[in-house]
Amino acid sequence: MNWLLIVLIMLIFIFLPFPILVNIKYENSSLLIYLFKIKIYPRKKTKKPSKNKRKKSKNYSINQYLSIWNSIKTNAFKPNLNFDLHITYGLDDAAQTAIFNGILWSFSSILYNLFYSIFNVKKFKLNINPNFDKSMLYINIKSIIFINIAKIIYISLILFFSLKFKYKTFLKPKEVI
C-alpha cells in the first residue's frame, strides 16, 4: 500500500506543474535576487581555497547554437510564464530621460518575442515609469515559470539529441558520447 502511495505522489509531481517564483531587484547600486522569497544573491562570502585547474571548454559553432535555438523554439511542450517587469528610472536631464523611455519601450517587443519563443507566455506585464526630477534606477522583476518534471525531461532530451546526432560529423570520434 505504501508503494502505491509513493507512485501516486511521484506521478503527481511528474505531470502537474509547479511554479518557480523569481524576484530580481536592483536599487541603490545593489542587486538582490530572490527565489521563492529566499535571498540567493548576494550571499555571505566564504573564502575557499582556489585550485587552478582549467577545464577544457568545447567550442560550438553558430550552426549548433541555431539548431538548439530552433529545437527549443519549435518545442510543443514549453513551460508557461507569467512575467512582471517594473522599471522606475531617472536621468539628470529630462530630454535624455524621455529619449531613454522611447528606447526602453521599443525593446519591450523584442523582450516579448524572446520570451514567446522559449515559453508559453500567459501574462506579460511591463511597467516603465520615467522620473524626470532626479537620477535613480529601480528594477523589479517578478516571474513565475510553471513547469513539470515531464517537460524538463522532454526539453533535455531534445537538447541532447540535437547536440549528439545533428552535429556528429563536426565532432571528433572521441568527443561523441
Side-chain angles (χ1 to χ4, degrees):
M1 187 66 181
N2 289 337
W3 288 101
L4 182 63
L5 184 65
I6 292 172
V7 169
L8 183 64
I9 291 172
M10 293 289 285
L11 285 175
I12 289 172
F13 278 120
I14 289 175
F15 294 111
L16 289 180
F18 57 92
I20 299 172
L21 178 65
V22 178
N23 191 355
I24 301 172
K25 291 182 182 180
Y26 181 80
E27 59 184 354
N28 299 330
S29 299
S30 64
L31 179 67
L32 302 170
I33 300 175
Y34 296 93
L35 183 67
F36 293 113
K37 296 185 180 181
I38 299 171
K39 187 178 186 181
I40 60 171
Y41 183 82
R43 290 187 176 180
K44 293 180 180 177
K45 294 182 180 179
T46 58
K47 292 187 177 182
K48 294 182 180 178
S50 63
K51 295 180 181 178
N52 292 332
K53 291 183 180 179
R54 292 188 180 188
K55 296 180 181 179
K56 291 184 179 180
S57 63
K58 294 182 180 181
N59 295 329
Y60 295 111
S61 68
I62 294 175
N63 291 334
Q64 289 171 324
Y65 286 119
L66 289 176
S67 171
I68 292 170
W69 179 258
N70 287 332
S71 63
I72 290 173
K73 194 164 86 170
T74 58
N75 181 10
F77 299 107
K78 296 178 185 178
N80 296 334
L81 175 72
N82 291 344
F83 185 77
D84 290 331
L85 173 64
H86 299 282
I87 299 175
T88 304
Y89 73 97
L91 301 174
D92 291 333
D93 187 17
Q96 290 177 351
T97 304
I99 291 171
F100 193 65
N101 190 28
I103 292 170
L104 283 178
W105 279 109
S106 66
F107 278 119
S108 67
S109 63
I110 295 170
L111 184 66
Y112 178 78
N113 286 331
L114 177 71
F115 285 150
Y116 186 74
S117 62
I118 299 172
F119 301 104
N120 287 332
V121 179
K122 297 295 182 185
K123 178 183 166 188
F124 185 82
K125 185 177 178 183
L126 182 65
N127 188 7
I128 299 174
N129 297 323
N131 188 345
F132 297 104
D133 296 333
K134 62 181 179 178
S135 179
M136 61 171 291
L137 178 63
Y138 173 75
I139 299 172
N140 188 5
I141 300 172
K142 288 183 182 177
S143 65
I144 300 175
I145 301 170
F146 292 96
I147 192 165
N148 55 17
I149 304 296
K151 287 182 183 180
I152 293 172
I153 293 170
Y154 183 74
I155 291 170
S156 62
L157 285 175
I158 286 174
L159 292 175
F160 175 74
F161 287 125
S162 69
L163 284 176
K164 184 174 180 180
F165 294 117
K166 289 185 181 180
Y167 293 102
K168 201 172 192 178
T169 58
F170 294 114
L171 299 174
K172 296 176 186 173
K174 291 182 181 179
E175 292 180 357
V176 176
I177 299 172

